Each structure stands twice: as C-alpha cells, then as structure tokens.
Amino acid sequence: MENQLKDLAIALHDIGAVKFGEFITKVGLRTPVYFDLRIIIAYPQIMSKLAKVLWQLAKGRTDITQLCGVPYTALPLATLISAEYNIPMLIKRKEVKSYGTKKLIEGNFKQGDHCIIIEDVVTSGSSILETVCALKEEGLNVTEAFVVIDREQGGRKNLERKEIKMKSLYTVTKLMSYLLEDGKVTPEIVEDVANYLKSCQAPISSVQETIVHKRLQTRFSTRANLTKNAMASKLFHLMEAKQSTLCLAADLTKTDSILELADLAGPHIVVFKTHVDIIEDFTIDFLKRLKELAKKHEFLLMEDRKFGDIGNTVLLQYKKGIYKIAEWADLITAHPVAGASIVDGLKDALNGITEPRGIFLIAEMSAKNALTVGDYVQRAVSISKESDMVIGLVCQSDIIPDPGMLQLTPGVKLSNSNDDLGQQYNTPEIVVNSGADLAVVGRGITEAADRLAATLEYKQQLWTAYEKRLCN
C-alpha cells in the first residue's frame, strides 16, 4: 500500500489537486498548501485508484452496511466504492427540499445501520460532524470516517470529542514527504508547510462558534447542524421543510375532539401539544391513533406535563403509570425548580427507549405575576447547557445564546389580550421578534369558528415574521 500511496500522491500533485502558494481554507485559515480534490472527476483512472486505496482502510470489516460521502467532493469517491464493493450508499442533501419527499438523507436504510462517512480533506472536521448529526437523526449508527487527507489542524481531535474515529490515507506531513522524495517540492516548501502546521490550528467546533451570536438571524436548516440532540435537529428540519413554526396546544378533554383537530391541522403544524391528564375518556387506543396521525402528517408530539419534582419521582411519572409518557411523547416540558437532578431523572427514564427525545425547560411563563424571574431564569439557562436532553427553553424573551437550542413561546394570539385567569397574549410578530422559534397557539385555534382557516393564518403570520427576522 505504501507504493500505491506514493504514486497517488505524485499523481494528485501532477493534476493540480495539491497546490502551493497562499490560500484561505473553508474555516478561514490562511494556508501555504491547498488541496482541491474536486479536480479528480476529470481524471477517472486516478479517481478510481484513489477510491480503491481509500476502501482498504476498511479491510477485514464486515459490519459496514452503508456509505455516505460528505457533499460534494467526496460523493464521486463514495459512489465508486459503493459500486465496486456492493455497499449501499446514502446521500445527504445540503438542505431539506420543500417538495417531493422532503428528506435530508436519501437512500434505503433502517435504524441501526452502520454507516461509514467518506470525506476528501479534513481541517476542523465540521463538515463531517454536520453529516454525522443528520445521519444520527435518522437512527443510523455512525462511529468512523475514512478520509483522503488529514490537514493535521485539529480535525481529528474535534471528531474524537464527538466519538467519531477518523482514518486517513495521508497526513499533510506524510504527503509532503512523498512529494519531496520524488523532487516535486523543495525542502524549503516542506519546511514552510511544517512550520505552518505547528502554528495554525483550526478552531474547535468552528462552525458553531462562528454563528453563536446570531441565533435570531440564522436559518433553521443551519441551526439543525449545531444542536447536541437528534430530536432538536429533526424539529429544525421539520420547521424548515413545512415552513411552519406552529405548536398547536390541544387543551381539549375528549379524545375524538383531539384526534379530529390533529387530523385537520396536522399538515400545517410541527408540534401537537397535549395535556394527557385532562382527557376524560383516555385509552391506549387513543395514543395509537394519535401517533398514526403524527406519522401521517409529519408533526411531533409534545406532552406538556411540566414535570417539577425530585429526580426519582419524575422518572416514575415519565416512565410509569397509565400514560407511559416516555413511550410516545417526542417532547416534554419540565420546571427546573428541583435543579439539574430533574433532567437526570427524566433521562434515566429513557432506558430501553430507542427513539430520540427532547426536553423543554420552563424558564419564563406567560402568566401574569409569574415567579419565574430574575436569578431563577439564569439558573434555568445554566441547567439547559448541562445536558444534551434539553433542546430548548420555554420563555418569553431572547435569553438563549446557543443557536442549537430552541425558544418555545406560549401565549400567542392575533391581537394582544388577556384572559380572566392571568394568561397574557402577544401577537405572532411580537413573540417571533422576542426570540421565539416555536410559537404555541391554543384557544386562538381551538375556539375559532373555522379552525383550519385560523391554523393557516397563524402559520402564515408566524413564518412571515420569522423570514423578516432573518433579514433584520
């Protein structure tokens, strides 16, 4: 393999895939050496040899069931490997389309499939991590990436922090030694590149750090790659695909009424929020039918249980009892009043649950004179950072610094108003400009004469406000 690697290194240099001079990398670093492997598509024989050598990194493996090339340069290599070795291939779109299947990952796969990522060049590892996030959201098992060139600038460590092992054909140092041995570069160029590698490392988690201060001006499709939780990523993509930020609060007490509402509004919402303990005729069959509607219309189920007890108690409330919330609710809400242990208890309740789940911590409430103020709010924000189970905060204002977290804001109506029990309502534009990514609408729809028309009106106004927010 050593001779093959040397011959390929020389070939890549000769076709201009390795360049020397002054360049800027994807993550904004100046570099005296640049790798442009896109050019290999013009040289089929070299591309074929490179694909075969790259797949030797999998020698002896029998557990690989899928391949995914990072868009776009690695796609030809992944395609050749797939065809040559009969390994099914997946394609990750750059973004979810608003038509057709609306999928981010294309291919034929099932949850638990072991997928290997194929990449051309790694600097910070951000592109691989974005792909890993999208694949894991679909239930795939991703633990390794096969790479042509490791630029030795921090990417390997960044990937290891996320438990992704990287195997590479070349490091820059090794590649330069091959080129020097064949007289393609001078010792001075090799020394210049070596000094550069010692002094210039890519930022850790560079993608997230560059836009952390721009949560309200960053599209959901981008923020989907910045979250620590697969359910949060799924929700971001769902909002973008359906062009909806509407969470419908179904505070109804009869199962037929709830199911009728879910079927009517389902195509236009992203989350259907329930209070299962107020349902007067609850049955397990009701949950089965509700889950079928969620799958049919592509929305998530949130049980607004507002857990607020010690860790062991919330574990039992979440997992046990007649409702068995952990088995069917994609999302839940919880008060952080008991501290971080409440999140630990809820997470422990998910032992045996394979589907991703998410928690919204309640930092602020829409009720008049609520006690969720001051230091309590800041402690809620702090707790939210400590667990990948927490995907966002229920709040009324822009208190979330992390673009990978969601703000869920209740109390939305088409006009400002109050009810007789202290609930305060704000308009869609006000809540979105106050930071809401996901807006809760209840009585504005459930008490409307035409529920479908009301749903469409809220959906349109909320999305328009979101699009305007991106431009401000």
Side-chain angles (χ1 to χ4, degrees):
M1 189 171 175
E2 184 77 10
N3 290 334
Q4 288 179 300
L5 288 175
K6 181 178 179 181
D7 291 343
L8 273 172
I10 295 168
L12 291 173
H13 173 272
D14 290 347
I15 65 174
V18 184
K19 305 176 187 292
F20 299 97
E22 186 170 321
F23 308 91
I24 302 294
T25 67
K26 176 183 174 182
V27 296
L29 300 177
R30 292 187 176 277
T31 173
V33 58
Y34 184 71
F35 303 101
D36 182 11
L37 266 63
R38 289 169 294 188
I39 198 172
I40 64 174
I41 60 175
Y43 301 89
Q45 289 187 335
I46 294 176
M47 182 168 60
S48 178
K49 290 179 181 178
L50 185 59
K52 290 178 180 178
V53 173
L54 184 61
W55 194 242
Q56 288 187 40
L57 296 175
K59 189 174 182 179
R61 297 283 295 276
T62 59
D63 60 331
I64 301 171
T65 53
Q66 301 281 354
L67 296 177
C68 185
V70 176
Y72 287 106
T73 307
L75 288 178
L77 293 173
T79 303
L80 288 173
I81 293 170
S82 175
E84 178 71 20
Y85 299 98
N86 195 31
I87 306 291
M89 177 178 161
L90 304 174
I91 293 178
K92 173 187 173 292
R93 291 181 180 271
K94 278 288 188 179
E95 60 184 18
V96 177
K97 301 299 183 183
S98 60
Y99 53 85
T101 62
K102 300 180 181 178
K103 292 180 179 179
L104 183 66
I105 303 296
E106 300 288 356
N108 186 11
F109 59 90
K110 63 182 183 296
Q111 288 199 353
D113 278 357
H114 186 197
C115 183
I116 292 291
I117 290 179
I118 305 297
E119 177 64 302
D120 61 335
V121 180
V122 168
T123 305
S124 70
S126 60
S127 294
I128 288 178
L129 291 176
E130 290 174 8
T131 304
V132 168
C133 182
L135 292 168
K136 285 189 174 181
E137 178 189 336
E138 298 294 338
L140 289 145
N141 179 28
V142 190
T143 59
E144 286 183 278
F146 294 169
V147 176
V148 179
I149 300 172
D150 173 11
R151 286 188 61 98
E152 301 177 273
Q153 291 182 270
R156 186 181 295 274
K157 289 183 179 179
N158 284 344
L159 292 174
E160 287 175 352
R161 286 187 180 94
K162 297 295 183 178
E163 299 182 343
I164 303 298
K165 182 179 181 180
M166 184 179 83
K167 294 182 177 181
S168 63
L169 292 181
Y170 302 99
T171 60
V172 173
T173 301
K174 190 64 174 177
L175 184 67
M176 294 301 294
S177 71
Y178 288 138
L179 298 182
L180 177 64
E181 186 179 340
D182 200 66
K184 298 295 183 181
V185 295
T186 65
E188 289 76 19
I189 291 176
V190 173
E191 183 178 5
D192 185 31
V193 170
N195 290 335
Y196 161 76
L197 293 177
K198 291 178 182 178
S199 63
C200 195
Q201 292 290 297
I204 297 174
S205 303
S206 58
V207 171
Q208 184 161 342
E209 290 180 358
T210 57
I211 70 170
V212 69
H213 60 292
K214 298 180 180 179
R215 181 176 75 89
L216 304 188
Q217 282 74 51
T218 304
R219 294 202 72 90
F220 296 141
S221 56
T222 300
R223 291 169 61 187
N225 298 317
L226 305 176
T227 180
K228 301 177 290 184
N229 182 288
M231 184 53 67
S233 182
K234 183 175 183 177
L235 181 51
F236 275 126
H237 285 307
L238 191 60
M239 292 192 293
E240 194 75 62
K242 297 183 81 168
Q243 295 193 356
S244 174
T245 58
L246 183 53
C247 170
L248 176 53
D251 297 337
L252 305 173
T253 61
K254 298 294 185 181
T255 57
D256 286 346
S257 298
I258 295 171
L259 294 171
E260 181 183 354
L261 179 64
D263 200 21
L264 178 73
H268 313 290
I269 65 173
V270 289
V271 175
F272 191 78
K273 185 173 78 70
T274 59
H275 286 290
V276 71
D277 54 357
I278 70 172
I279 299 174
E280 297 173 352
D281 56 346
F282 173 84
T283 63
I284 297 299
D285 184 64
F286 159 73
L287 290 179
K288 178 183 177 182
R289 293 165 65 190
L290 186 59
K291 288 170 66 176
E292 289 172 350
L293 288 173
K295 183 177 181 180
K296 173 184 176 182
H297 296 306
E298 294 185 285
F299 59 79
L300 303 180
L301 295 175
M302 174 189 287
E303 170 52 28
D304 194 7
R305 177 62 177 77
K306 294 186 175 69
F307 294 95
D309 216 313
I310 62 172
N312 186 64
T313 300
V314 297
L315 183 156
L316 296 172
Q317 290 172 328
Y318 190 23
K319 188 173 185 177
K320 302 293 185 178
I322 62 173
Y323 301 123
K324 294 181 172 55
I325 298 169
E327 295 184 6
W328 57 270
D330 301 301
L331 306 166
I332 55 172
T333 56
H335 285 290
V337 64
S341 64
I342 194 169
V343 179
D344 296 334
L346 293 169
K347 186 171 184 177
D348 288 347
L350 294 175
N351 288 337
I353 303 294
T354 58
E355 297 87 355
R357 295 287 186 255
I359 301 171
F360 277 98
L361 285 184
I362 301 165
E364 297 174 326
M365 298 187 70
S366 55
K368 186 178 180 180
N369 298 323
L371 302 181
T372 51
V373 294
D375 185 61
Y376 184 90
V377 175
Q378 296 308 313
R379 287 291 298 131
V381 174
S382 178
I383 292 172
S384 73
K385 298 177 182 179
E386 297 171 6
S387 172
D388 58 8
M389 274 289 294
V390 179
I391 72 169
L393 296 174
V394 178
C395 52
Q396 300 292 311
S397 56
D398 179 19
I399 60 175
I400 302 174
D402 184 352
M405 299 276 280
L406 293 113
Q407 177 177 327
L408 173 66
T409 300
V412 183
K413 273 195 172 181
L414 297 179
S415 60
N416 292 348
S417 61
N418 301 281
D419 70 7
D420 295 334
L421 295 175
Q423 173 68 294
Q424 301 177 107
Y425 293 103
N426 287 305
T427 66
E429 185 170 16
I430 289 174
V431 298
V432 171
N433 288 339
S434 297
D437 299 310
L438 193 62
V440 181
V441 180
R443 282 173 276 183
I445 292 175
T446 59
E447 296 180 357
D450 187 335
R451 290 179 171 179
L452 179 58
T455 300
L456 293 173
E457 181 65 20
Y458 277 103
K459 175 187 177 184
Q460 186 271 325
Q461 287 202 24
L462 287 166
W463 191 258
T464 298
Y466 160 69
E467 293 280 10
K468 287 174 63 177
R469 187 177 80 182
L470 291 173
C471 300
N472 291 336

